[in-house]
Amino acid sequence: MNRLTSVERLERMVLIRQTELLLSEMATTGLFATPIHLGIGQEAIAVGISANLKKTDAIYGNHRSHAHFLAAGGKVESLFSEILGRSTGCSGGHGGSMHIADPEVGFMGSMPIVAGTIPIAVGAGYGKKLNSVDQISVIYFGDGATEEGVFHESLNLASQLGIPTLFVCENNAFSSHLHISERQTNSNLIRFAIANGISNFQVDGNNLQQVEKESAALIQDIRTKRTPGFIEAFTYRLYGHVGYQKDEEVGLNRREDLKIWESRDPIDREFQRLIKSEDITDDEYKLMITRIQASVRASWDKACAQSSPDKSELLRNVFFEVSQ
Ligand SMILES: Cc1ncc(C[n+]2csc(CCOP(=O)(O)OP(=O)(O)O)c2C)c(N)n1
Ligand SMILES: [Mg+2]
């Protein structure tokens, strides 16, 4: 179990935020070619869930997975190296921002195909069940993924076969630039879990305490009862769908929404809670931010100094190699 203290969990959220802020700063430099989907504002979900996971659990992400990866314990430098296309990247520099993985920390993979990792996570969960191991499979996906057929097939199969999978729906109300009210007649996404007889609950995804505390019991049930569970976490991405801007400039009326959601910033909220409980002081928090900013920048510089994979490596991992 990833037993971080409250302050360390705040620190993990700050690390994720600073990592993504640095990426947004570097996005216009031409130093990397991969598109980046920032999850700024959504950090509490992955940190809260990871607090209840074991290193042996299998975590799967999507196209917006920097937070999922770092919350699981993935290293900033290996993420940066991957984004920069360096051979020291977590996927050998072959994948970029949307193909990150580090089995050492239980983060088994992510991909840009919306909902593409959901059946893979269910399959991994089934494997764990068949082998009777005390491990579960976790899949993070967005509200947009619930509009893919494979999402529904996966829920059905997980329910029917009793597969220990935690479905975490990060409902940020947008699929690219389309608001959920323009895509679905009902924006309540746990209805799909209910339809499949899967235990579920909704949570304020910008409240670390709530995510962590409420997911603990569900995760324990998934482990012991070997059945699936579903969490719908309401949140909002403070940056645009892709890239470094806020998406106010693409014709979307986000200004008012942004004001509301910026006031619900999950990091500020957790900091305010810890200051009240006297677990941290203002000065300690400022120092924490400065220290993390410096370490993130040092990781960036180290990643930049690494070399790219050799051309002879281009087809590695593209074709499955069958040994004769
Ligand atoms: C199968 C498929 N359809 C469409 C896309 C284009 N696309 C990339 S991300 C995205 C939005 C997904 O929204 P959501 O699942 O809510 O995740 P969020 O971006 O909000 O985190 C879309 C439509 C894709 N990558 N794959
Ligand atoms: Mg979304």
Side-chain angles (χ1 to χ4, degrees):
M1 188 87 72
N2 187 358
R3 293 195 191 283
L4 300 181
T5 63
S6 296
V7 173
E8 285 168 341
R9 282 195 287 277
L10 173 69
E11 197 167 328
R12 189 64 62 93
M13 289 202 292
V14 172
L15 179 75
I16 296 169
R17 174 72 57 93
Q18 293 301 330
T19 299
E20 293 212 305
L21 284 175
L22 189 86
L23 284 173
S24 77
E25 183 190 322
M26 296 299 171
T28 51
T29 58
L31 287 171
F32 55 84
T34 173
I36 47 165
H37 299 78
L38 304 175
I40 290 178
Q42 305 190 174
E43 298 88 347
I45 302 171
V47 173
I49 298 287
S50 267
N52 293 306
L53 297 181
K54 298 181 178 181
K55 278 229 157 116
T56 47
D57 292 331
I59 307 167
Y60 293 84
N62 58 0
H63 55 286
R64 195 181 304 285
S65 270
H66 302 158
H68 310 146
F69 173 83
L70 296 173
K75 294 280 168 277
V76 175
E77 192 184 326
S78 93
L79 176 65
F80 282 161
S81 293
E82 188 53 44
I83 286 171
L84 285 158
R86 304 297 200 259
S87 50
T88 46
C90 57
S91 300
H94 288 226
S97 158
M98 294 184 281
H99 298 96
I100 50 179
D102 186 353
E104 291 284 305
V105 298
F107 191 81
M108 305 309 288
S110 61
M111 66 157 95
I113 300 167
V114 171
T117 32
I118 300 178
I120 296 174
V122 171
Y126 195 39
K128 295 189 182 306
K129 179 169 177 136
L130 292 178
N131 292 325
S132 303
V133 285
D134 170 30
Q135 293 165 6
I136 69 165
S137 170
V138 180
I139 170 70
Y140 292 100
F141 54 94
D143 46 295
T146 68
E147 289 147 22
E148 293 289 341
V150 74
F151 161 75
H152 300 275
E153 295 173 48
S154 300
L155 285 193
N156 178 58
L157 195 71
S159 174
Q160 181 63 18
L161 299 181
I163 299 179
T165 307
L166 174 65
F167 295 90
V168 185
C169 179
E170 297 180 309
N171 186 352
N172 60 14
F174 280 95
S175 176
S176 300
H177 302 105
L178 215 51
H179 192 265
I180 193 157
S181 58
E182 297 175 276
R183 302 173 357 239
Q184 299 195 29
T185 47
N186 181 338
S187 61
N188 179 337
L189 300 177
I190 52 163
R191 71 186 194 277
F192 300 125
I194 295 167
N196 284 285
I198 296 178
S199 305
N200 62 83
F201 67 85
Q202 292 173 313
V203 71
D204 175 353
N206 283 29
N207 184 328
L208 177 70
Q209 285 301 301
Q210 237 190 66
V211 176
E212 186 185 333
K213 292 222 164 88
E214 297 195 16
S215 62
L218 185 66
I219 291 175
Q220 192 51 30
D221 270 2
I222 297 172
R223 273 192 211 293
T224 51
K225 296 185 187 154
R226 319 302 286 157
T227 50
F230 189 106
I231 297 173
E232 179 180 10
F234 295 103
T235 187
Y236 197 83
R237 56 171 162 68
L238 298 176
Y239 276 55
H241 167 62
V242 62
Y244 65 97
Q245 285 171 316
K246 294 212 167 183
D247 269 9
E248 294 169 335
E249 60 295 326
V250 295
L252 284 180
N253 190 13
R254 272 167 54 95
R255 267 190 196 96
E256 290 310 307
D257 280 354
L258 274 172
K259 264 189 230 148
I260 297 167
W261 285 94
E262 273 163 3
S263 73
R264 296 180 191 153
D265 188 310
I267 300 183
D268 289 347
R269 279 167 86 179
E270 184 59 6
F271 165 60
Q272 293 304 339
R273 190 186 75 81
L274 293 180
I275 235 183
K276 265 198 205 113
S277 61
E278 297 184 3
D279 283 300
I280 197 166
T281 64
D282 226 357
D283 284 348
E284 284 167 346
Y285 184 53
K286 281 189 190 125
L287 271 177
M288 176 196 283
I289 294 181
T290 319
R291 177 170 45 79
I292 291 176
Q293 278 172 337
S295 87
V296 164
R297 217 158 264 277
S299 298
W300 177 260
D301 291 341
K302 274 198 205 158
C304 286
Q306 306 295 331
S307 52
S308 303
D310 190 77
K311 272 194 185 148
S312 62
E313 288 235 333
L314 260 178
L315 294 182
R316 191 166 65 82
N317 295 330
V318 174
F319 300 106
F320 183 67
E321 283 158 33
V322 182
S323 50
Q324 299 294 323

